[in-house]
Structures are given as structure tokens and as C-alpha cells.
Amino acid sequence: MEPKWLEWAKQLQSIAQAGLTYSKDKYDIERFEMIRNISVEMLSQQTEVDKAVIRELFANETGYATPKVDVRAVVFKDNKILMVKEDVDNVWALPGGWGDIGLSPSEVAVKEVQEESGFEVKATKLIGVMDKKFHSHPPSAYHVYKFFIQCEIVGGKPETGIETSAVDFFAENELPPLSVARNTESQIQLAFKHLHNSQQPVYLD
């Protein structure tokens, strides 16, 4: 579902990043800088975002390029799913965020739920690992793997965090406006399938 131009731009960025990391020859370094500039130009032309902003966001990493990891927690109560309203776009998402160095995916899920919703949870089940490019998210400058981890409430109470303005539970047929950059309706529906059938297999890709 990812547009081809975005796939090419990210591949060029990856090649440039690896080349700039490992190359010693000044002429090779110059060529890889040119490749990086092409990738930035492609993204700028397609999105109308200033090249300086794109360079900071899209071409600011060093070392061998690898996908980013986004962890989302799936928490149910009374057959409803926990969601938080994100300040950045004022729509709703499963609690979650980027993976943290030193924390496992389960630990990230537990931390994000507490920080964004106030609830204390324990991770119980992996629901799916999804490559963002295969799902109906808006285009992203990063290549992202998304982990969906089911969690069980063990304490706490609903409280907003520094990035959230509301906390609530929603029934399967009464979902709020979603932050589709973070989670799609089909991903929420998959979570409910696991609620209704504990033997539902883990989703891959």
C-alpha cells in the first residue's frame, strides 16, 4: 500500500546512510551525500515539506539503517478497548510509542500504558507484528515494524499524560476518530478478534 516513490526514497536514504557510515574514500562519501540529497529532494517534492525539515527528520541518523519499532498496547475492560486521545493530532490511539533502548517490547507496552493512561498493566500476549507499509497508514519517512501486545489491567486509574488529553474505553462498534498514523480500524478489529477468540493466531506482516 506504500507509494513506490516513498519506497524508493527510503531505499536511497538507507544506501546513503550505510555508505556514509562505512566509506573512507572522500569521493565515495561525496557520492553518498548526493544520493542522500536525492532522497530528501524526492520526499520534499512529493510532500511539499521544506527540505531542511525533511533532512532533520529523514536523514538525521547514522550507522546501518534499520527499521524503527512502534509498540502498541491492547487493553480490554468490559469488552471495550482502551484508547487515549493524542495531543499532537487530537484523535485516538492505542497507548504506545517507539521502542526504548534497554526495554523489551512487553516492557515498552507496560510503560506506555502507565504514562499515557494511568493504568498499571502486565503484558500477556503478542497479537501481531506488522510492517507499516502493508497497512493503510499514511506515508511515513521511516520504515516501521509495529508490535501489538495484549495487556491486562492490574491497578491504577484513568489519568492523562504529557502527550494525551483523554482516556476512555470503546466498544467494537463505537470506535472514535482514529490516529491512523498509529493504528488503523482493521488493526483495532484484529485486537477484538483476539478478545473474542483466545486461540486467534499471531498476525505476521
Side-chain angles (χ1 to χ4, degrees):
M1 305 181 90
E2 186 175 82
K4 205 66 181 175
W5 63 264
L6 181 57
E7 179 184 340
W8 291 333
K10 290 196 286 191
Q11 287 175 349
L12 287 172
Q13 159 59 18
S14 175
I15 293 167
Q17 184 173 316
L20 290 169
T21 298
Y22 298 113
S23 294
K24 304 299 182 185
D25 184 89
K26 66 178 182 179
Y27 298 108
D28 285 340
I29 291 172
E30 183 178 4
R31 293 183 187 101
F32 285 119
E33 283 286 2
M34 291 173 63
I35 292 172
R36 170 167 278 183
N37 290 337
I38 291 170
S39 70
V40 170
E41 187 79 29
M42 288 174 67
L43 200 58
S44 178
Q45 286 290 324
Q46 293 291 335
T47 62
E48 299 183 353
V49 175
D50 185 80
K51 285 187 284 188
V53 174
I54 291 173
R55 180 172 287 275
E56 178 65 24
L57 167 73
F58 182 54
N60 63 344
E61 298 189 7
T62 59
Y64 186 81
T66 61
K68 286 187 170 289
V69 174
D70 176 35
V71 179
R72 294 286 146 186
V74 175
V75 181
F76 292 107
K77 180 182 178 183
D78 299 328
N79 293 319
K80 295 183 178 181
I81 196 166
L82 173 66
M83 305 196 83
V84 294
K85 183 180 277 190
E86 300 275 355
D87 285 339
V88 69
D89 53 11
N90 206 37
V91 283
W92 294 82
L94 300 174
W98 294 126
D100 294 306
I101 300 297
L103 297 183
S104 71
S106 292
E107 290 172 328
V108 172
V110 169
K111 177 182 75 75
E112 292 289 338
V113 172
Q114 198 283 322
E115 290 178 350
E116 296 187 353
S117 76
F119 287 106
E120 299 170 8
V121 299
K122 65 177 182 180
T124 58
K125 179 183 179 183
L126 177 64
I127 288 177
V129 179
M130 304 184 189
D131 189 317
K132 195 172 182 180
K133 71 179 182 181
F134 292 136
H135 300 272
S136 54
H137 299 281
S140 168
Y142 296 121
H143 191 150
V144 179
Y145 293 163
K146 299 180 67 67
F147 283 64
F148 291 83
I149 298 175
Q150 191 166 340
C151 300
E152 176 184 331
I153 294 176
V154 295
K157 61 181 181 179
E159 293 180 342
T160 58
I162 60 173
E163 298 177 350
T164 58
S165 59
V167 178
D168 208 343
F169 289 86
F170 296 92
E172 187 172 5
N173 60 350
E174 297 177 345
L175 295 179
L178 297 178
S179 176
V180 293
R182 296 170 178 81
N183 42 223
T184 67
E185 184 173 352
S186 63
Q187 290 163 346
I188 304 299
Q189 290 171 346
L190 175 64
F192 274 101
K193 287 182 180 179
H194 281 263
L195 173 66
H196 301 318
N197 176 14
S198 61
Q199 302 305 310
Q200 185 79 16
V202 173
Y203 184 98
L204 182 61
D205 285 351

